[in-house]
Amino acid sequence: MQNAIDITFLLLFLLFPCFQLTFQQLSSRTERAALLELRSSLGLRGRDWPIKADHCSVWNGVQCRNARVIGINISGFRRTRLGRQNPRFVVDALANLTLLQSFNASKFLLPGPIPDWLGSSLKPLQVLDLRSCSIHGPIPSSFGNLTNLTTLFLSNNKLNGSIPASFGQFIRLSVLDLARNELTGSIPLSISSLGNLSFLDLSSNGLDGSVPPLIGSLRQLQKLNLSSNNLSSSLPASLGDLGVLVDLDISFNKFSGPLPPDLKGMSRLQRMLLRSNLLGGSLPDALFSSLTQLQALAINDNRFTGAAPDVLFLMPGLRFLDISGNNFTGLLPNSSLNSNFSDGTLNVSGNMFYGGLVPVLGRFSVVDVSGNYFEGGVPSFVVMNASLESNCLRNVSRQRTLEDCSSFYTAKGLDFDDFGKPIAERPPPVPEKSGKNMNNIRVIILASLLGWVGFIVVV
């Protein structure tokens, strides 16, 4: 009996590779049939996927491992003439590719909605790239079943509806790009649970509401773009917990209130774009003193007030600074920075800065100081093409009127240099007409009249 069992195991051991090889061959045949079906439904050209050639070794964009298909890349492929007549999002054959890990169809037209089965039938999928495919309709909630996803690109389509709360199930997701669609509603709170997320772009949609208060739990996040939406309320202090964030863009929304001092925790930030919101109040000095790696800062077209911190103009790595269109006032820092480059951009236009132009302007090759109250001459360190109009500068065209400049400096308790005119050439102050002076003038006029009347009577 024991010998019979041993012989059975021996036979199974010898035959197992044959069974395994047969299974692989059957699976390979099934997958080839699925690829041929996909080739037909998408109208792919024979030069990319030739029928008689081996799909694993010859077909463009098909990646195999052990004769099994694990990746398909048809990005930028062209359809046949027949396929171009009626392009559709028909990829049902993908369901038979049971080991598929990556599907990239970016810039390949797939007009139509995302099929609901895709989220439940492609569970091994790790990378899905459907950028610029003319997809429309809502995002299926079944997408949350793709728990192996690490990269999801759905940008530049016509997706509408809300972002499914099931996205919080993407526990391995590192890249999420839903930009340039027609998505509405609020950012789901479940987004805050994506602990491995390093790239989040929800820009250019119609999202409203506030930023999830626990956004700071995305400790691996390096890029956050929420620009061009209808987001409102104040900025959550938890943004300061994004210690490895490099790029922040929340421009063109309706955020209001002051900047939280906690933002100083974003110590690796290189680009900070907050333009065109309703943010206000003064800028905390300590905030920007901590952002030592900042290279670009745009806070233009908001409601900030008070003095602009000197550190903004003195950061050695800052090459783009735009604080225009606010209510900043005061003097620019009268100091220069030991820096070898002068290829940066500075825009402080549309504020209420005053005083003279200072050497720190020499750091920048593009300068716009228009729409302020700067006075005095234009020093040589200011670049030739600088925008200087609507100030109180000497020997420069298109400046403010004398009355406007004098009124501004008088209100500040300061003297205005009257566009550089010597004191002797300045118009004398007009004496104030008091009631006593007017009475004296009346007496003189009356006495003169009486004298002339008396003279006429005598004659």
Side-chain angles (χ1 to χ4, degrees):
M1 183 67 179
Q2 183 64 38
N3 292 335
I5 294 175
D6 292 339
I7 293 173
T8 301
F9 275 105
L10 179 60
L11 290 173
L12 289 174
F13 178 78
L14 293 174
L15 293 175
F16 179 76
C18 298
F19 290 139
Q20 187 178 27
L21 181 60
T22 302
F23 177 76
Q24 288 180 348
Q25 290 173 343
L26 290 174
S27 299
S28 180
R29 290 174 184 173
T30 302
E31 291 184 345
R32 180 175 175 83
L35 290 174
L36 290 173
E37 182 183 344
L38 187 65
R39 178 183 184 274
S40 175
S41 64
L42 296 180
L44 300 182
R45 299 181 303 170
R47 68 177 62 183
D48 292 317
W49 286 14
I51 293 180
K52 295 183 179 181
D54 178 65
H55 60 276
C56 284
S57 58
V58 178
W59 287 18
N60 292 333
V62 176
Q63 182 184 2
C64 296
R65 180 185 300 151
N66 298 325
R68 301 293 302 277
V69 177
I70 62 171
I72 295 178
N73 186 347
I74 58 172
S75 175
F77 276 27
R78 296 178 59 187
R79 281 187 168 91
T80 61
R81 183 180 302 176
L82 182 61
R84 289 195 298 268
Q85 293 178 1
N86 186 26
R88 294 176 300 160
F89 197 151
V90 182
V91 293
D92 296 10
L94 291 179
N96 293 319
L97 304 177
T98 55
L99 297 183
L100 190 66
Q101 299 177 10
S102 174
F103 181 62
N104 184 352
S106 60
K107 299 180 181 179
F108 185 87
L109 294 182
L110 294 171
I114 300 175
D116 188 65
W117 61 261
L118 195 147
S120 55
S121 299
L122 298 178
K123 292 186 178 180
L125 204 61
Q126 298 177 16
V127 177
L128 179 60
D129 191 345
L130 299 176
R131 286 175 286 186
S132 304
C133 292
S134 296
I135 302 170
H136 56 77
I139 302 175
S141 59
S142 63
F143 254 45
N145 295 322
L146 300 175
T147 55
N148 287 308
L149 272 182
T150 60
T151 304
L152 178 58
F153 288 109
L154 297 176
S155 58
N156 200 29
N157 286 291
K158 297 180 180 179
L159 296 170
N160 55 34
S162 59
I163 301 174
S166 61
F167 272 34
Q169 299 171 213
F170 295 147
I171 56 176
R172 294 182 174 86
L173 198 66
S174 176
V175 175
L176 177 58
D177 185 358
L178 304 179
R180 298 180 299 282
N181 279 288
E182 300 171 3
L183 299 171
T184 55
S186 59
I187 301 174
L189 298 177
S190 58
I191 289 288
S192 301
S193 64
L194 305 181
N196 289 312
L197 206 61
S198 63
F199 179 102
L200 177 59
D201 191 346
L202 306 178
S203 63
S204 299
N205 282 285
L207 300 174
D208 54 27
S210 58
V211 177
L214 297 180
I215 191 76
S217 60
L218 304 179
R219 300 299 177 87
Q220 304 300 318
L221 201 61
Q222 298 180 30
K223 178 173 181 177
L224 175 61
N225 191 345
L226 305 177
S227 64
S228 300
N229 281 287
N230 295 313
L231 299 170
S232 57
S233 190
S234 58
L235 297 178
S238 65
L239 282 171
D241 295 330
L242 303 178
V244 298
L245 194 69
V246 174
D247 195 322
L248 172 66
D249 189 352
I250 60 169
S251 305
F252 303 104
N253 280 287
K254 299 176 182 177
F255 291 115
S256 58
L259 293 184
D262 306 74
L263 297 185
K264 66 183 180 181
M266 300 186 293
S267 57
R268 296 188 187 179
L269 201 63
Q270 297 179 13
R271 204 170 72 118
M272 188 178 194
L273 308 181
L274 314 180
R275 52 167 62 106
S276 296
N277 278 284
L278 304 174
L279 298 167
S282 58
L283 296 182
D285 288 336
L287 168 60
F288 294 100
S289 298
S290 302
L291 306 182
T292 57
Q293 298 187 33
L294 207 59
Q295 299 176 12
L297 174 64
I299 57 174
N300 53 293
D301 300 317
N302 279 285
R303 298 176 178 179
F304 292 114
T305 58
D310 289 356
V311 67
L312 293 182
F313 303 91
L314 304 177
M315 288 182 176
L318 194 65
R319 302 196 175 206
F320 182 91
L321 176 59
D322 189 349
I323 61 174
S324 63
N326 283 284
N327 294 308
F328 289 118
T329 189
L331 305 171
L332 297 185
N334 190 16
S335 60
S336 58
L337 183 71
N338 294 325
S339 178
N340 295 324
F341 68 85
S342 60
D343 59 348
T345 297
L346 172 67
N347 189 347
V348 300
S349 65
N351 284 287
M352 292 184 288
F353 290 111
Y354 56 89
L357 300 179
V358 292
V360 73
L361 300 178
R363 287 187 57 201
F364 305 94
S365 60
V366 178
V367 174
D368 188 349
V369 298
S370 62
N372 285 283
Y373 288 89
F374 291 111
E375 67 170 348
V378 179
S380 59
F381 52 74
V382 178
V383 293
M384 295 292 295
N385 61 345
S387 297
L388 306 173
E389 60 269 14
S390 297
N391 277 286
C392 305
L393 294 168
R394 188 187 311 162
N395 300 323
V396 179
S397 62
R398 294 184 295 173
Q399 297 297 290
R400 296 181 183 272
T401 64
L402 174 61
E403 181 181 4
D404 189 4
C405 294
S406 298
S407 299
F408 177 84
Y409 277 87
T410 300
K412 296 285 184 185
L414 302 171
D415 293 327
F416 175 55
D417 71 351
D418 194 12
F419 297 103
K421 290 183 180 179
I423 296 178
E425 297 181 11
R426 299 181 188 179
V430 179
E432 188 176 342
K433 295 181 180 180
S434 64
K436 184 177 180 180
N437 289 338
M438 292 301 294
N439 290 334
N440 292 337
I441 292 173
R442 291 191 188 98
V443 170
I444 294 172
I445 293 174
L446 182 60
S448 300
L449 288 174
L450 292 175
W452 276 105
V453 170
F455 175 74
I456 293 173
V457 171
V458 171
V459 171

